[in-house]
Amino acid sequence: DCCVTKEIQEVQTKELSHHPGGWQMFDHSMGLVHPVIRANKRGLKVDLTSRAEMKERYTSEIKRLQQVLDIFAGGPLNVKSTPEVQALLYDKLKLPKQYKKRKKADGTFEKTVTADKDALNELAAKHSNPALLTILKIRERRDLIERYLDVKLDTDGRMRSSVDLAGTRTG
């Protein structure tokens, strides 16, 4: 391990020296290491009352939005069901089909119809269809509930996460 670390240091030093502002960026990132470790350990204190109120509000909104969506769809529609969403968007509403390239086992690519998040956002940017916008609103609220409001807290009522300084796209 120590040999590899030395090899990495030599390459890193060379690369940082050749990029304008490279050392400043490195020093800035290294200065964040200890505060981020402390923040990860401490966690965020969660207001349980506000959290419950938010969950109740979003759940109520989802129920109302789902009723509206079911009217558009002509019956119950599961926004997590790709076949159901595709049938509504492409067959019933006649919105232009969105495709995604998928790699097959043999290494070649095929285009398949999709109704993933990117496809829905692209359609929404071009078409202000109320059913499409309702699907996006339902999914957004469900994501908020699943990612933040239903997440298990530690025994001290704090939410803990991990920030990867070297791995974040935003720096």
Side-chain angles (χ1 to χ4, degrees):
D1 284 349
C2 63
C3 292
V4 172
T5 302
K6 180 67 176 159
E7 290 174 14
I8 291 170
Q9 180 201 14
E10 291 170 2
V11 173
Q12 186 179 45
T13 300
K14 184 178 175 183
E15 287 185 9
L16 288 171
S17 298
H18 283 88
H19 293 293
W23 282 109
Q24 290 86 352
M25 180 192 69
F26 178 80
D27 290 340
H28 174 74
S29 295
M30 293 309 293
L32 292 173
V33 170
H34 291 291
V36 165
I37 289 171
R38 283 194 302 273
N40 287 345
K41 283 183 180 179
R42 181 172 181 174
L44 298 169
K45 183 73 173 160
V46 175
D47 180 336
L48 299 177
T49 304
S50 294
R51 182 183 190 205
E53 290 170 358
M54 289 174 69
K55 183 175 178 180
E56 186 177 320
R57 187 178 83 229
Y58 285 134
T59 301
S60 175
E61 287 179 17
I62 290 169
K63 185 177 180 182
R64 182 183 51 78
L65 289 165
Q66 186 66 52
Q67 290 170 341
V68 170
L69 181 61
D70 291 346
I71 292 169
F72 288 127
L77 184 126
N78 178 358
V79 297
K80 288 190 175 184
S81 167
T82 300
E84 289 182 32
V85 173
Q86 285 180 352
L88 174 67
L89 298 178
Y90 305 136
D91 299 337
K92 186 169 185 171
L93 300 176
K94 305 294 185 206
L95 292 170
K97 290 183 179 178
Q98 301 297 300
Y99 295 90
K100 185 174 226 166
K101 274 190 193 178
R102 298 193 194 274
K103 192 172 186 177
K104 295 180 359 182
D106 64 3
T108 61
F109 289 92
E110 67 179 343
K111 280 176 50 175
T112 58
V113 176
T114 184
D116 66 6
K117 184 179 183 178
D118 293 335
L120 293 178
N121 286 327
E122 187 154 331
L123 283 170
K126 296 176 183 174
H127 308 277
S128 61
N129 185 291
L132 174 61
L133 299 175
T134 303
I135 291 170
L136 287 169
K137 287 178 185 177
I138 291 170
R139 284 184 170 187
E140 176 185 272
R141 283 153 180 79
R142 282 186 177 176
D143 280 350
L144 287 170
I145 290 171
E146 291 170 8
R147 289 184 185 178
Y148 304 106
L149 302 177
D150 278 346
V151 71
K152 186 178 178 188
L153 302 178
D154 287 342
T155 55
D156 60 357
R158 291 181 177 270
M159 180 187 302
R160 289 187 171 76
S161 62
S162 178
V163 176
D164 180 3
L165 289 174
T168 58
R169 283 182 260 170
T170 60

